[in-house]
Amino acid sequence: MKVEANGVRIEVDDQGPADGPVVLLIMGLGMQLIAWPQTMVQMLVRQGFRVVRFDNRDIGLSQGFDAAGVPNMALAGLRHAMHLPVHSPYSLADMARDALGVLDALDIEQAHVCGASMGGMIAQHLAAMAPERVASLTLMMTTSGSRRLPQPSWRVRRALMSRPMKPGADAAVDWIIQVLHLIGSPAYPSDPQALRARALESVQRAWHPSGSARQLLAVVADGDRSALLPHIQAPTLVIHGVDDPLVPLACGEDLAQRIADARADFIPGMGHDLPEELLPRFAQGIVDNARR
């Protein structure tokens, strides 16, 4: 279903008991709500939680911002490297207000918030700007954006900045698989057929690479969120892969050290994805953090 959130049309999926405590799942760069595995959603529902997923603005079935044009990411990266301001048509703080708008549209007073990758960056803004709305916070494979933290390798950056070799759904699926292989978990490789099926489902549901580019520009423009971290009051769990090639482990360690009373689960062999074998661990981590 679509809701009006922060003046933006947002696609929402709402499962579980209407009177259960709410888990709000915020997905990462260019990823749709279906990137949160249904298996994990059902694990949370079975423990009595109401689970809300949504497509971030400019991706999936939510409102696009194509009128803003396609950004020049090479120029944006150069400006960032030179410590010059980077301007984007919307900010991660705007996207956090979208998440609050989803809660408002569903008459949800408070939620246990879990954000992955860019979704974790949005969740940091959300927890800092509206602490009374965040009952607990789970940050998965994400970062404060501090310049002193290690960055992904140039190989990974080039892959993210690349595009499919030719038009069409098949090329888009092949490109998604290539990127997911590169950043995935070395100890938990995806089944090739299952990975292709997920990539095809994503492309058939909504393929919007210009929206992904604008979201990436918002990440670059957001810069360092370290100043937000002391304002986070919610019980916080940091989940991070020891072998994450996109957001190195030091980024998760930094969050765990800077957020008051944060707990950490650093997982050997995990990269920048949600391996099926680890879904019970992720779900239980969210539940335990919500109940402490």
Side-chain angles (χ1 to χ4, degrees):
M1 63 178 174
K2 279 192 174 59
V3 302
E4 187 81 8
N6 189 32
V8 180
R9 296 185 306 279
I10 298 293
E11 180 74 13
V12 173
D13 175 75
D14 185 0
Q15 299 183 48
D19 60 348
V22 175
V23 173
L24 180 70
L25 300 175
I26 309 177
M27 192 27 83
L29 175 67
M31 303 297 283
Q32 303 174 55
L33 66 85
I34 57 173
W36 290 107
Q38 178 64 18
T39 302
M40 180 175 161
V41 172
Q42 286 303 308
M43 289 174 182
L44 293 167
V45 169
R46 282 197 295 269
Q47 297 222 40
F49 288 85
R50 176 183 176 186
V51 182
V52 176
R53 303 179 290 178
F54 66 98
D55 287 335
N56 285 307
R57 63 166 65 193
D58 222 1
I59 213 69
L61 303 180
S62 288
Q63 181 177 326
F65 286 74
D66 289 338
V70 180
N72 184 332
M73 291 309 304
L75 178 59
L78 179 61
R79 290 185 62 87
H80 178 73
M82 296 176 66
H83 296 249
L84 296 172
V86 175
H87 303 288
S88 58
Y90 51 80
S91 68
L92 295 190
D94 291 329
M95 298 174 82
R97 284 185 278 270
D98 294 348
L100 281 175
V102 168
L103 296 181
D104 291 340
L106 299 177
D107 294 321
I108 295 169
E109 183 176 339
Q110 195 176 59
H112 301 282
V113 175
C114 175
S117 196
M118 182 191 73
M121 303 174 195
I122 295 169
Q124 291 168 51
H125 279 282
L126 176 56
M129 73 169 56
E132 73 284 358
R133 307 294 297 275
V134 180
S136 72
L137 180 66
T138 302
L139 300 175
M140 302 183 68
M141 50 193 178
T142 192
T143 177
S144 69
S146 171
R147 288 181 180 272
R148 62 182 181 80
L149 293 170
Q151 300 296 312
S153 69
W154 281 109
R155 182 183 177 210
V156 171
R157 293 189 209 187
R158 281 195 301 269
L160 289 180
M161 298 285 287
S162 68
R163 286 293 174 262
M165 298 295 292
K166 53 187 178 181
D170 289 342
V173 168
D174 289 342
W175 179 83
I176 291 172
I177 291 171
Q178 177 185 352
V179 172
L180 294 182
H181 269 309
L182 182 61
I183 65 175
S185 298
Y188 304 96
S190 298
D191 174 77
Q193 289 185 328
L195 181 59
R196 179 165 289 276
R198 290 199 302 272
L200 180 59
E201 179 187 17
S202 176
V203 170
Q204 289 178 334
R205 183 175 184 265
W207 173 242
H208 197 208
S210 64
S212 298
R214 286 185 292 273
Q215 287 185 350
L216 179 57
L217 183 64
V219 171
V220 174
D222 202 50
D224 188 348
R225 288 169 295 281
S226 296
L228 296 179
L229 304 185
H231 298 283
I232 294 177
Q233 303 172 14
T236 300
L237 171 65
V238 177
I239 300 175
H240 212 103
V242 172
D243 298 289
D244 191 328
L246 180 58
V247 183
L249 174 62
C251 300
E253 293 173 333
D254 175 70
L255 289 172
Q257 291 166 3
R258 287 172 169 263
I259 298 174
D261 300 320
R263 297 182 180 181
D265 185 13
F266 299 142
I267 305 177
M270 176 184 165
H272 200 82
D273 61 353
L274 302 174
E276 183 176 357
E277 297 92 333
L278 295 177
L279 297 182
R281 184 167 176 169
F282 299 153
Q284 194 59 50
I286 293 169
V287 170
D288 291 345
N289 190 46
R291 291 175 175 168
R292 73 178 171 109

